[in-house]
Amino acid sequence: NSSHPVEVVQEVPSMPILPVHRPVRDAIGEPTPKIEQGNCMCWVVELTKGSPADTFGLEHTVEGPMLAVRGIVEASLLDRWNTLHPDAAVTPTDRIFRVNESMTIQEMQDELHRPAVQIHVARFPERFLVEMQDSQGFESLGVQLRSPSVHRKAELKIAFIKRGGLLDEWNKSAIGDGQLHFVVAPGMRIEVVNEVYGDAGKLQEELGSVGPLRLWIRRAEVVRTAFQRVKTRAWLIRKQRLSAEEGPQVPMENIEAATHAARAAGHEELQESTLYENSSHPVEVVQEVPSIPILPVHR
């Protein structure tokens, strides 16, 4: 009823601020000092054996120039450290870049046999930004994506990285600069493309645009770690079943129940790790989330 029509503008919710690092628990006493180096959170763990029965309890594998934490042995010195220092707890998929004064793989492993160690731990960022200036459309990225599951329609899963594409060139540059925490690898997730987020279809459409691209990448190491824990527990259950002297047999349904629980917690992404093969320095992808609760074997 007015000669001056009013334009209706719908308010669009602002893009959420994504955390770069996983949250840490509060300190019990004095917080452990931490520093940030190249987007990695770093701190020092000091362990000393008080008796021959003490062990550090660090399970690890080699990942490039670092040691990658794969597990913490219960009742070990490192397990006790985690209990006393929840703000600086070492968890699977954290990296170790120095032990005492040693920084090479062999020397760090040798130092872990000493009675006292200072372990320098680095936690890779859970999310990181990838910027490419001259994208010529989706094909120029050199990436294969996997369709999202029902649980994760808001992001895209990277299935494969092709040689010669923009992501391959980004990775070569990151590796050349010694910034392994910026390497994009299969299994990671694309959460944001430029200003688009929250819809996998729109994300893929934006990836096809020409010009600068800004991608927020989320790691997926936690899911595989959780799956490995379930596999380990399933193996223990199977071993217990095969032992006639351990008491009543454990039905195989418990193994299936544990697997279903893992799928419910980690969704469809439970799978073996892959290696990024487009570099002379392969980077194993393994990522981190809350651990899956241990299921009771018996009622």
Side-chain angles (χ1 to χ4, degrees), residues 5 9 20 32 45 71 117 125 146 153 163 200-201 220 234 239 263 293:
V9 180
V20 174
T32 302
V45 175
V117 292
R146 181 166 296 178
K153 289 186 175 180
R163 296 179 185 273
K239 182 179 179 181
R263 294 185 187 281

Side-chain angles (χ1 to χ4, degrees), residues 159-171:
F160 183 74
I161 296 175
K162 303 176 184 177
R163 296 179 185 273
L166 291 178
L167 276 179
D168 181 39
E169 294 302 319
W170 167 274
N171 284 350

